Amino acid sequence: MNQVRPATLGLLDLPVEILVCILSHLDGYELARARRVCHDIRHMIDSSSELSYSIDLKYFNSTPDPSPGPDHTVSSLRKSLQQSEFAWQKAEYFKSNPVSIPYTVHITHDVFMRSCGILALDVRNENRLKFLQPQVSDPDHFNSTSLREWDYQFNGEFPLYDFSPTQNLLVCLVKASPGESHACDLIFRSLSEPDEVHPEAGSAVVKTIDEEVDFESLDPSTVSFSIFGNYCGILFPDVLNADGYLVDILQIWNWKSKDVSLCLKPDHEILHFSFLTNEIILVVNSEELLLYSLVDFPNALHLTAKFSLPALRTSFKYETIRIKDSISSHSRMHDHIININMEIFGKRHSDASSCVAVYVERSTLLELQSAYTRRYGKASDSSPSLPWSEWGLKYTRSLRGDFDSCKNVVFGLRAVSFLGSQIMEPLPRPLCIRDFNPHRVADFKAGNGIRWNQRLIEGNLLDSSADMFLEPLGSGLPYIETITEEEFLGSDLIVEGNKLMVLSFDFVGRLKSPTIPDDPHTVENEVSYSIEILNFE
């Protein structure tokens, strides 16, 4: 009797539509591995715009923006993504006409640069914030740029503010009225309509540090803000408490809930902080980086890991440390670079000062939490830190210079800065674009991709001389460097997506009338500021 053998159905025997549907459930990394299975699957993935776009998003460390739809096909979005990435790699851009800033403002720490390319300027002697947002006025002519402007008029003492354009949030810190039981009020406003309370704020005004702290001893320039999701944090450093001691206070609010806050007053100092995720805060002091969990907020902050900074010789100290990242753009990036700028001063007049910029991927710090727990168990104030030699050398990249040459902006896995310093003399400088994308680095090493004016930076390029440090600086994070041909006389940069905003300046001679009759007129040089937009699309 003949037996009928059941037919064996292989994966490739399925209809193409079903195979593409199955593959669509894989992420970009899994699809890239699936391409190596066989020629047929590779051809199937490469023939699908949706699957290829998913790979490109992972490769370029991006997320769909805008999302595919009737007005934006997958093919057009993929083409736009590739074009913008190639423009960054070749340092090719369209430049707008400069837009002058017609105000007398403090272009110092009073200029806040955030997502959406918005600047907030403190207008002198007018108790007023001026918001400026350069934008293309004619879509058919990119170089036609206009300046959107709006104000926020405030009353009384107004030392500090910060804002988040992605949430349309303006946060103002003002001194409390006399007789109040707290030092400051924190006000939550709508950024687009600053006279209006933010519609999602749990309270229009919340109280900050209590009256036992001497607010008059606080230096406003040292206060740090950070806004992420539902959280708003403020660091009050070196404030005088009731016992006459200088203390650092980190206070965190869930600004969408009423009177929900937490205050951290550690035994160690706090130089700066930043939100890494909705649940993790990065705090830095003069010896280490610390990660705190917000899982049990507002009941407690839990210390989860500690990482040592490179040790200094006894005659030097970390004077200031600032954390820079692309917090406002987390939703548009799978990962991003964190830049930690460390100013180092000598304790003796004969010791030279310096600045070191340390770059590390956010995902690396989050993954090292598990490594810390496996080695030391649950973190506590008394537990040891993971030595710099066991994490910093392998996972970071350090650049050394003066404060001006270490200034940069970060967006995703890309950092942009002026090349060189203008501390001694203001001179035009080219832009330096550093791409830390590991996929781009791997392709560059393999001889693939664009190589016009780029070079690969890897290995230890810094002098390991022990003039300041007792151990080598980080050299384990490679990157691709691109230098622009054009030079800019600028002081600051803002990067948002594919647009780079350059805050440029120039010296303008103005005729000044004499203060004494019959004296001659004099010419004084004033600094005029303007904004240029470089579009990498």
Side-chain angles (χ1 to χ4, degrees):
M1 184 175 178
N2 294 332
Q3 294 182 347
V4 179
R5 295 184 178 181
T8 302
L9 187 64
L11 178 67
L12 296 178
D13 295 322
L14 295 173
V16 173
E17 294 80 5
I18 295 178
L19 280 173
V20 171
C21 181
I22 293 173
L23 292 171
S24 67
H25 291 278
L26 304 179
D27 67 17
Y29 295 132
E30 293 167 335
L31 285 170
R33 289 194 293 269
R35 290 179 74 253
R36 299 195 290 267
V37 171
C38 67
H39 176 272
D40 291 334
I41 291 181
R42 176 173 182 168
H43 177 72
M44 194 178 306
I45 293 174
D46 291 349
S47 300
S48 169
S49 298
E50 290 80 5
L51 299 181
S52 297
Y53 184 47
S54 180
I55 293 176
D56 286 348
L57 289 173
K58 286 289 187 180
Y59 180 90
F60 293 122
N61 187 48
S62 186
T63 55
D65 184 42
S67 299
D71 297 330
H72 303 281
T73 65
V74 171
S75 297
S76 64
L77 290 175
R78 186 185 181 207
K79 181 180 179 180
S80 176
L81 174 63
Q82 292 178 336
Q83 286 178 340
S84 63
E85 286 296 328
F86 292 154
W88 277 105
Q89 294 169 29
K90 295 185 291 185
E92 293 182 348
Y93 49 82
F94 301 101
K95 188 168 69 170
S96 70
N97 294 325
V99 180
S100 297
I101 300 178
Y103 306 100
T104 304
V105 296
H106 298 288
I107 307 293
T108 56
H109 63 269
D110 298 312
V111 178
F112 287 85
M113 300 181 179
R114 295 293 186 266
S115 65
C116 305
I118 296 177
L119 286 78
L121 306 176
D122 181 6
V123 182
R124 292 180 181 176
N125 304 321
E126 295 185 18
N127 288 347
R128 180 165 57 99
L129 288 179
K130 170 66 70 173
F131 293 97
L132 308 175
Q133 185 177 27
Q135 51 193 1
V136 177
S137 54
D138 185 352
D140 297 326
H141 300 86
F142 175 78
N143 62 352
S144 60
T145 306
S146 61
L147 203 61
R148 179 187 171 218
E149 307 175 27
W150 68 102
D151 296 340
Y152 176 48
Q153 193 76 38
F154 53 87
N155 298 317
E157 296 186 42
F158 187 84
L160 299 165
Y161 61 96
D162 198 2
F163 60 93
S164 171
T166 56
Q167 300 184 84
N168 193 33
L169 176 65
L170 171 64
V171 181
C172 307
L173 184 71
V174 299
K175 187 175 180 181
S177 302
E180 294 287 346
S181 60
H182 58 285
C184 308
D185 289 327
L186 194 62
I187 303 171
F188 301 106
R189 298 283 183 175
S190 170
L191 179 59
S192 58
E193 300 289 342
D195 292 329
E196 302 292 333
V197 176
H198 195 288
E200 296 183 58
S203 301
V205 181
V206 297
K207 302 174 182 179
T208 63
I209 49 181
D210 56 46
E211 63 178 354
E212 295 182 354
V213 174
D214 181 11
F215 184 72
E216 298 296 336
S217 66
L218 183 66
D219 180 1
S221 66
T222 64
V223 175
S224 305
F225 281 82
S226 187
I227 302 171
F228 186 89
N230 295 350
Y231 295 109
C232 172
I234 303 182
L235 171 62
F236 302 93
D238 292 336
V239 291
L240 202 63
N241 65 11
D243 297 324
Y245 295 104
L246 291 175
V247 296
D248 299 328
I249 301 174
L250 174 59
Q251 195 162 3
I252 300 169
W253 293 265
N254 183 331
W255 63 275
K256 293 185 179 181
S257 299
K258 188 173 182 178
D259 297 328
V260 178
S261 68
L262 183 149
C263 203
L264 178 65
K265 301 178 182 179
D267 293 334
H268 58 75
E269 63 181 339
I270 302 177
L271 294 180
H272 208 220
F273 79 105
S274 179
F275 292 98
L276 294 189
T277 70
N278 282 316
E279 298 180 347
I280 299 295
I281 298 178
L282 174 63
V283 173
V284 61
N285 59 36
S286 60
E287 297 180 352
E288 57 200 355
L289 303 177
L290 305 99
L291 297 183
Y292 286 89
S293 172
L294 281 164
V295 172
D296 290 332
F297 182 89
N299 298 319
L301 278 178
H302 298 294
L303 182 62
T304 60
K306 304 165 70 175
F307 312 108
S308 292
L309 295 175
L312 294 170
R313 290 187 171 275
T314 55
S315 58
F316 294 92
K317 65 176 181 177
Y318 291 113
E319 183 69 17
T320 60
I321 301 180
R322 292 290 180 266
I323 304 168
K324 293 184 177 181
D325 63 7
S326 48
I327 282 179
S328 62
S329 308
H330 281 182
S331 60
R332 295 178 58 183
M333 297 292 168
H334 293 293
D335 196 8
H336 70 270
I337 282 290
I338 296 170
N339 170 224
I340 304 169
N341 270 14
M342 307 183 296
E343 288 188 77
I344 303 164
F345 286 6
K347 298 178 182 178
R348 301 179 303 227
H349 292 294
S350 58
D351 295 326
S353 61
S354 182
C355 182
V356 173
V358 175
Y359 297 90
V360 61
E361 293 182 34
R362 178 189 63 165
S363 59
T364 296
L365 289 179
L366 297 177
E367 291 167 2
L368 284 173
Q369 287 184 107
S370 300
Y372 182 92
T373 303
R374 288 194 300 268
R375 178 164 181 175
Y376 298 113
K378 186 177 180 180
S380 67
D381 289 338
S382 59
S383 62
S385 301
L386 189 66
W388 170 261
S389 59
E390 297 187 24
W391 79 277
L393 300 184
K394 182 179 180 180
Y395 296 111
T396 72
R397 165 64 58 178
S398 301
L399 301 175
R400 190 168 170 179
D402 57 33
F403 176 74
D404 188 60
S405 61
C406 286
K407 288 171 56 178
N408 64 85
V409 290
V410 293
F411 186 86
L413 294 175
R414 189 176 285 124
V416 186
S417 65
F418 292 105
L419 187 64
S421 173
Q422 60 177 10
I423 287 181
M424 300 302 295
E425 183 179 2
L427 295 173
R429 298 174 291 172
L431 300 178
C432 178
I433 304 169
R434 298 181 175 94
D435 191 343
F436 292 91
N437 188 326
H439 307 302
R440 287 266 298 114
V441 170
D443 270 0
F444 196 92
K445 288 182 178 181
N448 303 324
I450 296 172
R451 289 177 169 268
W452 275 270
N453 55 342
Q454 299 183 323
R455 64 169 181 157
L456 176 66
I457 307 296
E458 61 178 344
N460 187 10
L461 301 181
L462 286 177
D463 183 6
S464 60
S465 60
D467 54 341
M468 292 185 178
F469 294 94
L470 292 174
E471 49 192 334
L473 295 176
S475 58
L477 188 63
Y479 65 91
I480 299 172
E481 181 182 83
T482 308
I483 307 297
T484 63
E485 295 183 0
E486 186 175 6
E487 296 182 341
F488 302 85
L489 187 61
S491 59
D492 281 291
L493 299 168
I494 313 167
V495 62
E496 171 62 26
N498 298 320
K499 294 182 176 61
L500 182 67
M501 190 182 301
V502 181
L503 183 63
S504 304
F505 64 91
D506 200 356
F507 298 98
V508 179
R510 300 189 185 280
L511 194 64
K512 185 178 180 181
S513 300
T515 56
I516 301 176
D518 300 328
D519 277 3
H521 286 70
T522 58
V523 176
E524 287 189 353
N525 282 330
E526 292 186 3
V527 181
S528 65
Y529 290 91
S530 61
I531 300 170
E532 294 178 279
I533 300 177
L534 313 184
N535 194 332
F536 292 80
E537 291 184 344

